[in-house]
Amino acid sequence: MPPANRKNPARAKSSQSLYSLHEFLAEFPGDDACLEWLWRERHSTDGEHAHCPKCDQTRSFKRYATKQQRQSWTCTACGHHTHPTAGTIFEKSSRPLSDWFYVMYLVSSSRCGVAAKHVERELGCNYKTARRMLNKVRTELMRQDYNTPLSGEVEVDETYMGGKPHAYPKHSRQEHMDRKTPVWAAVERKGRIVATSMRFNRGGEVWDNVHTHVLPSSMLFTD
């Protein structure tokens, strides 16, 4: 058996991750790599030619080093500047793009959620910055389009969200459950997820959500 390459560790066959930390660091080693990825994804597939809104046609773009450390590409014909971060959650942020991308990696790879204090420790920033970045990723970037129903193998379940029962005997278990919020969720295996709150945890409302968010041809897994 050949020796393992410590500079390029291979993914274990038993690993359940879709995107490991080593793969993330190899693809996005720094701020420039993240900015280049945004430029290619949003404007230029080949990294050089893009549509110039001022010329109103496809032009050649180049990135020039400036004292302002501008995150932009410049049209070689008219000098128009195109900023890949414009209109995104990274716009007007003083944090490196590599920090933003790492927060996205933490949120997408965690099964139990990520706390702002954890992001604060990981990035070495203050709590206010960590909380703002985390909220931006959760509420804006990871917003999903529910226009198309889930398909394929879909797992469905419901639960209650709320605090722990009171220690006082005057509150019965049923009274405590009445204060909780019922939540319904469905997830495609290795795919999208849909979650919504319900007024009551009853069979009719549960199946109404199934009919709304899951295609009839799907294979359903539930208890």
Side-chain angles (χ1 to χ4, degrees):
M1 183 177 181
N5 186 357
R6 289 181 293 181
K7 295 183 179 180
N8 187 22
R11 177 195 295 272
K13 293 182 179 180
S14 59
S15 175
Q16 296 182 353
S17 68
L18 301 177
Y19 193 54
S20 69
L21 177 61
H22 294 292
E23 293 168 336
F24 169 77
L25 294 177
E27 186 174 1
F28 304 106
D31 191 75
D32 289 337
C34 298
L35 186 62
E36 180 73 22
W37 185 89
L38 279 178
W39 165 248
R40 289 176 177 270
E41 285 291 319
R42 302 193 67 204
H43 300 284
S44 174
T45 55
D46 63 357
E48 181 181 356
H49 298 89
H51 181 265
C52 177
K54 189 174 182 180
C55 300
D56 196 20
Q57 59 181 304
T58 301
R59 292 289 194 181
S60 175
F61 279 76
K62 288 187 177 180
R63 189 184 178 199
Y64 299 99
T66 61
K67 292 183 179 180
Q68 298 86 358
Q69 298 181 357
R70 226 176 249 162
Q71 294 180 321
S72 65
W73 270 254
T74 305
C75 176
T76 57
C78 67
H80 175 76
H81 298 288
T82 298
H83 299 260
T85 58
T88 68
I89 62 173
F90 321 115
E91 186 178 12
K92 298 181 180 180
S93 174
S94 59
R95 297 300 303 183
L97 280 174
S98 54
D99 285 0
W100 282 98
F101 276 50
Y102 184 60
V103 173
M104 291 187 290
Y105 169 77
L106 288 176
V107 173
S108 60
S109 61
S110 175
R111 298 183 63 183
C112 303
V114 179
K117 292 297 291 183
H118 180 65
V119 174
E120 176 191 359
R121 291 190 296 268
E122 289 285 310
L123 301 184
C125 59
N126 57 47
Y127 178 78
K128 184 177 179 180
T129 300
R131 187 172 180 272
R132 175 182 174 273
M133 294 175 68
L134 198 57
N135 285 339
K136 286 281 188 179
V137 172
R138 285 172 174 169
T139 60
E140 297 184 29
L141 187 63
M142 303 195 74
R143 185 182 300 140
Q144 297 192 34
D145 185 7
Y146 295 153
N147 291 334
T148 57
L150 305 183
S151 60
E153 296 182 346
V154 181
E155 297 184 24
V156 176
D157 205 349
E158 78 282 349
T159 186
Y160 286 93
M161 301 295 293
K164 295 181 179 180
H166 292 282
Y168 304 105
K170 64 179 181 179
H171 296 291
S172 66
R173 178 176 177 81
Q174 184 58 44
E175 289 175 332
H176 173 70
M177 295 302 293
D178 291 340
R179 288 193 295 270
K180 287 177 173 285
T181 301
V183 176
W184 176 91
V187 57
E188 290 176 343
R189 290 187 173 177
K190 299 182 180 181
R192 297 170 298 160
I193 183 172
V194 175
T196 181
S197 61
M198 299 187 296
R199 295 182 59 189
F200 307 101
N201 188 3
R202 295 175 180 172
E205 190 171 0
V206 170
W207 285 109
D208 286 342
N209 287 327
V210 171
H211 294 314
T212 301
H213 298 289
V214 181
L215 288 177
S217 58
S218 305
M219 181 175 292
L220 203 63
F221 296 88
T222 184
D223 56 1

